[in-house]
Amino acid sequence: MNLYLGIDFGTSGARGVVIDEEASCIQAEVRYPFHDSPAALTPKIWQEALFVLVEQIPDQLRRKIKAIAINGTSSTVLLVDAAGNPVDAPLLYDDTRGSSVLEHLRSIVPPNHTVLSATSSLAKLLWMRQLPSFSEAKYFLHQADWLAFLLHGQLGISDYHNALKLGYDVEELKYPKWLELLQISIQLPKVLTPGTPIAQLRPEIADKFGFRRDCLVCAGTTDSIAAFLASGAKLPGEAVTSLGSTLVLKLLSRGRVEDARYGIYSHRLGDLWLTGGASNTGGAVLKQFFTNAELASLSREIDASKASELDYYPLLKVGDRFPINDPDLSPRLEPRPENPVEFLHGLLESIARIEARGYELLQTMGANKLSRVYTAGGGAANHTWTAIRARNLQIPVVASLYTEAAYGTALLAMGERKRG
């Protein structure tokens, strides 16, 4: 029996899921929590997490794994030298230093393009050009690209989900002509369809960890798309909200919707489009004020049928990407009631309103009418929050069939190879 491994690198940790050819039974699930904030993590820690995860999979299962795929956080990027060694610290998904190059980008890029965001991969790359270390760099890679390289050994390969915010044209499946006008001196990744086999595992990795020599490493995806793949959503109008450290919305649509003014972009998914956006609000803000135990106990005291009158915009720091794309947007967390139940109710309600506003905006811009929302991420387990969100959205809100993005990435690794 062939098995398939999906690895998810999120903001709070790395996870691995092994599935069988029927995809109905999880054979193994492994975790590596990050104890530091995402900003404190280095590629060395990512590398350690990757190999500790792999080691946790039972030997007898590792010998049966036929393919591996990895997802990473969207627009988390790094520069590496000709040997694949990072030459500087990575820039994370929410890093806004690229705002300083947006005016230059606007003079070259088509209006309202996805890359016209302070956090886009392309904006980060242009900002990185001023670094002294840039002269040492040979390749520009996304987090998932680099982690996969550690397994297969081939540099400069990405997938069209990660490369979307680098400017890659996912309709024409090529880099656009206008990208040449930016005169980028560094090697941009070769872009493959997510799930495409890249190469077999490096022999030394296969031998060290007891994998079969013909185990394939496949082109990956982003963490939020992996969560969508895991959810069970398949029809236009169905959506997935990922309630992790941040809030990510993905609505399956027949038509493509793009507008950088609102942080809206569309990923290609077969013949359909995953249109959506990502807000910096979410679970990380909740955890600034409450422990996991407090979140669980206080949530049970909230009457989810009644709307909170508190109107917050919960952010950890200045700036949001969607549905308001404003790097200068200030957090709004006042007034703060003395009763922690009321405060938590206000936070949960406010994040639910941002979610509803996001889906309303996507539909206004031309996406399919929202019919059902699946929920992934840690917030999916909070039944009070689910009820608050359903009241705001006015449609069914259900838990994803599988809530781990690593499961969706394992499906990507399996692809058509289960028949091979």
Side-chain angles (χ1 to χ4, degrees), residues 92-207:
L92 301 188
Y93 63 96
D94 61 347
D95 194 297
T96 58
R97 279 175 278 189
S99 59
S100 62
V101 304
L102 287 181
E103 190 173 337
H104 174 49
L105 262 183
R106 284 192 193 97
S107 67
I108 292 170
V109 176
N112 304 326
H113 195 282
T114 305
V115 299
L116 293 172
S117 162
T119 59
S120 77
S121 300
L122 185 57
K124 291 184 175 98
L125 171 56
L126 296 191
W127 182 86
M128 285 169 145
R129 286 202 294 197
Q130 67 183 316
L131 295 172
S133 58
F134 192 79
S135 60
E136 304 168 43
K138 173 75 173 175
Y139 297 97
F140 177 78
L141 298 175
H142 301 88
Q143 181 185 37
D145 308 339
W146 185 74
L147 289 164
F149 151 74
L150 296 177
L151 298 181
H152 59 62
Q154 297 194 22
L155 275 165
I157 298 176
S158 189
D159 62 89
Y160 63 54
H161 289 158
N162 273 294
L164 177 76
K165 295 179 187 176
L166 184 54
Y168 186 78
D169 188 331
V170 293
E171 281 194 276
E172 298 293 329
L173 298 179
K174 62 182 182 182
Y175 284 109
K177 282 286 186 186
W178 56 257
L179 206 53
E180 296 173 9
L181 300 175
L182 292 169
Q183 298 180 318
I184 296 167
S185 60
I186 200 168
Q187 182 78 40
L188 296 181
K190 176 185 176 183
V191 180
L192 303 177
T193 299
T196 302
I198 297 171
Q200 293 178 355
L201 274 175
R202 291 159 57 193
E204 61 271 29
I205 298 291
D207 293 346

Side-chain angles (χ1 to χ4, degrees), residues 25 36 49 54 69 81 103 113 124 148 161 181 186 190 213 254 256 284 315 319 337 376 406 420:
C25 181
D36 296 317
V54 167
D81 63 19
E103 190 173 337
H113 195 282
K124 291 184 175 98
H161 289 158
L181 300 175
I186 200 168
K190 176 185 176 183
R213 279 290 191 102
R254 289 189 179 88
R256 184 181 184 183
L315 298 170

Side-chain angles (χ1 to χ4, degrees), residues 8-11 71-74 221-228 242 248 405 409:
D8 162 47
F9 270 74
T11 52
N71 76 66
T73 49
S74 178
T221 184
T222 65
D223 55 345
S224 60
I225 293 184
F228 188 96
S242 294
V248 183
T409 311

Side-chain angles (χ1 to χ4, degrees), residues 239-243 247-250 355 359 373-377 389:
V240 172
T241 295
S242 294
L243 288 172
L247 172 74
V248 183
L249 311 187
K250 298 276 188 228
E355 178 188 14
Y359 280 123
V373 172
Y374 293 83
T375 311
R389 293 169 50 232

